[in-house]
Amino acid sequence: MSTPTVNDLAELREHLTRPDGTTVLALPGDPGYAVATPWNVAKTVTPQAVVLAETAEDISRTVAFATDQGLRVAVQCTGHGATGLTAQDVEKADVLLVHTGRMNDVQIDPQTRTARLGAGVIWQQVIEAAAPYGLAPIVGSAPGVGAVGFLTGGGIGPLSRTYGLASDLVRAFELVTGNGELRRVTATENPELFWGLRGGKATLGIVTAVELELLPLSGFYGGAIYLDAGDAEVTGRVLHAWRAWSLNLPEHANTSIAIFQLPPLPAVPPPLAGRMTVGIRYTSTAPEPEAAELFAPMRALGTPLIDAVGPMPFAAIGAVHADPVDPMPVAEEATLLSELPTEAVDEILRVTGPGSGSVQLVAEIRRLGGVLAKEPEHADAFSHREAGYSFFAAGVLAPEIAAIVKPQAQAMTAALARWSTGGFMPNFSSDLTAAERVSSYDESTRKRLADLADSYDPAGTFRVGQVVRH
């Protein structure tokens, strides 16, 4: 495809120009183009132009124009899951990026316990808008991520064993498909798209709004404790004890354990800075005495450097994982595990624990199962509910270690290959190649998604980013 010129984009600019003469189309060097820079600044995102969408019509006109001109369209909000738009990955010359950050309206209906979210809403906005009514959305570990991208990937977070995937609570999407048509998508209206949007990421189009059910939940019992991990024997005892404890947790309880190597920076609590630590995360929706009693064996493992487990308002859900907020260059690696035997814990300790030479910022094991493992009310494109655990590693691409971060993380997942399901969660696949990304789905789901994409986007306008195509 030839590179579109400013003149080629004149028609689109005209469609996106407001009565006062302002436009939401930004070319390189224009004000607004820089919003294409994703949260993960290790990813280069340099499209031919950025559409700073304010309405569904902006998106519809952009997609219709791109389809007519033989261009492609990608979508981004915060860029936490950015895949990159470069000559090495996708030929940037023919890609327009729709940035949804300005579509950030949140409407809460306390009577029906539902929320309507614009495409650019982040979870923290929903949390804060719903809290006065004693309501809450199901969110991930980082409330600063975009809600729509999280939902289209299924969405696993600190309460998933209790309530299932975040996308299980979606009631409707509004979607622009490959011809620029805006469609309403529910379990009964365009049901095939409703199936595919819950797990299929950006495969089927650009979501402009979503309606979802909220939970009558104002708080929980949980947080995290952090223990010193400088001694290999002590760290091994902690991980093995957590494994045994996690096996038979009731559905009201959720947990993960992580080995951290946090730098001595102002944002890092001094007890954790510049040392290896183990963090045990926990949430429970049971009454406080029951929830505290269940967690007591983890508290008994040693004297915590920090103990931040207790009753919490739902608005503090982000404190459970305390994920980084500021943009940074990171490389990630993940895998799903069918089970976590003692031998798997030994392997994790060998490749991530004291004396391993690990430079990863975090290496996490998360307990899955519970309600997450059950079939939802409406079938969806999320393929890996049966996994028992997940493993995730992330490292900062600082100059002195950048060359070894990714290979080392890949060696970590390779060490767990005996217990891996071979699959990936869609929201943890941004670092995968297009060939690897298909493992986010089983074969029948992958084929069905690709068939739907061919049907609703025959021109291949959305054949870019986290998508499934033939």
Side-chain angles (χ1 to χ4, degrees):
M1 297 181 182
S2 60
T3 303
T5 66
V6 173
N7 288 336
D8 294 332
L9 296 174
E11 180 185 347
L12 179 59
R13 184 182 292 276
E14 181 180 344
H15 285 313
L16 300 177
T17 297
R18 304 298 189 240
D20 63 2
T22 61
T23 181
V24 295
L25 181 71
L27 299 176
D30 287 347
Y33 184 86
V35 301
T37 303
W39 181 89
N40 182 0
V41 295
K43 303 290 186 180
T44 301
V45 179
T46 52
Q48 180 64 23
V50 176
V51 176
L52 303 159
E54 297 176 341
T55 66
E57 289 73 22
D58 289 339
I59 297 176
S60 179
R61 289 167 177 168
T62 299
V63 172
F65 173 84
T67 299
D68 183 63
Q69 298 294 318
L71 307 177
R72 289 177 291 174
V73 179
V75 63
Q76 183 173 296
C77 179
T78 64
H80 277 77
T83 59
L85 293 173
T86 69
Q88 288 72 38
D89 181 13
V90 189
E91 196 59 47
K92 68 180 181 181
D94 68 335
V95 175
L96 307 177
L97 177 69
V98 169
H99 193 278
T100 61
R102 294 183 178 181
M103 300 173 66
N104 58 1
D105 184 52
V106 179
Q107 300 172 25
I108 305 295
D109 186 337
Q111 301 303 315
T112 60
R113 295 209 313 259
T114 57
R116 177 182 169 83
L117 318 178
V121 168
I122 63 172
W123 280 123
Q124 190 62 42
Q125 294 173 260
V126 190
I127 292 169
E128 293 173 0
Y133 305 103
L135 300 174
I138 294 304
V139 302
S141 59
V145 306
V148 166
F150 182 77
L151 290 168
T152 57
I156 288 179
L159 293 171
S160 292
R161 283 177 44 80
T162 307
Y163 296 109
L165 291 175
S167 60
D168 292 344
L169 298 183
V170 172
R171 294 293 170 260
F173 295 96
E174 292 179 7
L175 177 76
V176 173
T177 50
N179 62 355
E181 181 178 349
L182 180 63
R183 301 170 185 262
R184 182 170 173 82
V185 177
T186 71
T188 56
E189 190 175 356
N190 295 302
E192 71 282 2
L193 291 172
F194 190 67
W195 171 86
L197 285 172
R198 292 171 302 123
K201 294 298 283 185
T203 298
L204 300 178
I206 297 179
V207 173
T208 64
V210 62
E211 298 168 15
L212 73 157
E213 180 183 337
L214 298 172
L215 299 171
L217 185 66
S218 59
F220 62 96
Y221 184 91
I225 62 170
Y226 297 86
L227 303 165
D228 183 78
D231 183 277
E233 182 178 347
V234 172
T235 304
R237 178 171 57 82
V238 170
L239 262 68
H240 279 287
W242 177 86
R243 171 206 165 268
W245 173 77
S246 74
L247 287 173
N248 298 306
L249 286 181
E251 289 180 353
H252 68 73
N254 300 260
T255 189
S256 64
I257 191 167
I259 296 176
F260 293 99
Q261 295 187 91
L262 302 177
L265 296 174
V268 177
L272 310 182
R275 67 198 299 181
M276 182 175 281
T277 58
V278 174
I280 302 175
R281 290 84 160 257
Y282 176 65
T283 67
S284 170
T285 56
E288 182 181 343
E290 181 182 351
E293 181 180 1
L294 181 62
F295 190 67
M298 296 297 95
R299 275 205 168 105
L301 290 174
T303 302
L305 300 168
I306 294 176
D307 185 338
V309 175
M312 285 194 176
F314 189 85
I317 190 74
V320 175
H321 283 242
D323 286 350
V325 174
D326 296 330
M328 60 179 62
V330 297
E332 302 171 345
E333 189 75 11
T335 190
L336 292 170
L337 307 175
S338 57
E339 58 179 345
L340 188 72
T342 57
E343 296 85 355
V345 174
D346 287 338
E347 282 296 289
I348 290 169
L349 287 164
R350 181 181 67 82
V351 295
T352 70
S356 66
S358 169
V359 297
Q360 305 302 312
L361 187 72
V362 59
E364 176 203 81
I365 318 164
R366 185 179 304 200
R367 182 69 169 110
L368 304 177
V371 174
L372 178 63
K374 299 178 180 179
E375 289 300 315
E377 178 183 0
H378 304 291
D380 61 15
F382 189 86
S383 298
H384 301 298
R385 291 177 181 266
E386 76 289 349
Y389 292 82
S390 66
F391 175 81
F392 170 77
V396 176
L397 298 173
E400 62 273 19
I401 59 172
I404 64 172
V405 168
K406 186 67 173 179
Q408 187 182 78
Q410 290 171 329
M412 291 176 179
T413 55
L416 296 171
R418 282 176 285 170
W419 306 283
S420 173
T421 67
F424 303 93
M425 293 182 192
N427 283 341
F428 288 84
S429 64
S430 62
D431 264 9
L432 302 178
T433 66
E436 293 170 329
R437 199 172 294 129
V438 298
S439 296
S440 296
Y441 308 95
D442 59 57
E443 185 175 353
S444 62
T445 299
R446 186 164 59 244
K447 183 180 185 305
R448 185 176 174 185
L449 275 172
D451 287 346
L452 282 171
D454 286 349
S455 177
Y456 285 93
D457 179 31
T461 302
F462 299 125
R463 193 182 286 270
V464 58
Q466 288 183 270
V467 299
V468 178
R469 300 299 295 247
H470 287 302

